Amino acid sequence: MDTPIEGYLRMGIVHYMAFPELASGSGPWEETLRHIALDPFFTGIEITHIEDQQARERVRGLIRLAHLSVGYGAQPAILGQGLNLNSLEEDRRVHACILLKEHIDEAIYMGAESFVILSGKDPGTEKRPQAITALMYHLNK
């Protein structure tokens, strides 16, 4: 192989998994990001919601300065708040969509190239077709 591995892939890290204290949206974002940004091995990072607006802006600046590609994972919010995009209860589905749209806005602000979600709890074999229909309905709205 004559081409450096960087020609085939971007090596990234899921920031909030490497530093689980960040999954809540609060914590030492800048300090932990600096470790990743200074490591030439990493060219990408997956972040999640950053509660503090000023910290979010500083993290955004560090990411840009380090030329890291960004992904955004909404899983901590989905799991932490019990959101369910495929709930058979419409009000729960609508609530989840409203909150996740806010996360999409944040992901765009942070320059994310991808946005990762979880649908919601599997309702079981019997109700799975209705849950899939409910999920598809709201995602296509």
Side-chain angles (χ1 to χ4, degrees), residues 50-106:
I50 301 172
E51 189 69 37
D52 181 78
Q53 175 65 34
Q54 291 175 336
R56 190 179 313 142
E57 288 179 30
R58 288 189 298 270
V59 166
R60 180 180 181 220
L62 284 169
I63 287 171
R64 286 182 171 179
L65 190 62
H67 302 287
L68 293 170
S69 60
V70 180
Y72 189 100
Q75 306 94 309
I78 292 169
L79 296 170
Q81 297 177 42
L83 303 179
N84 188 346
L85 289 168
N86 61 290
S87 175
L88 296 177
E89 299 171 33
E90 185 171 2
D91 59 330
R92 290 193 69 210
R93 264 193 333 270
V94 169
H95 175 70
C97 285
I98 289 168
L99 289 177
L100 289 172
K101 284 178 183 178
E102 292 173 10
H103 284 269
I104 290 171
D105 289 340
E106 181 177 345

Side-chain angles (χ1 to χ4, degrees), residues 12-20 22 36 42 44-48 71 73 75-76:
I13 187 167
V14 180
H15 189 206
Y16 56 88
M17 294 298 287
F19 300 96
L22 301 175
I36 297 164
F42 296 113
I45 188 168
E46 183 175 310
I47 60 171
T48 193
Q75 306 94 309

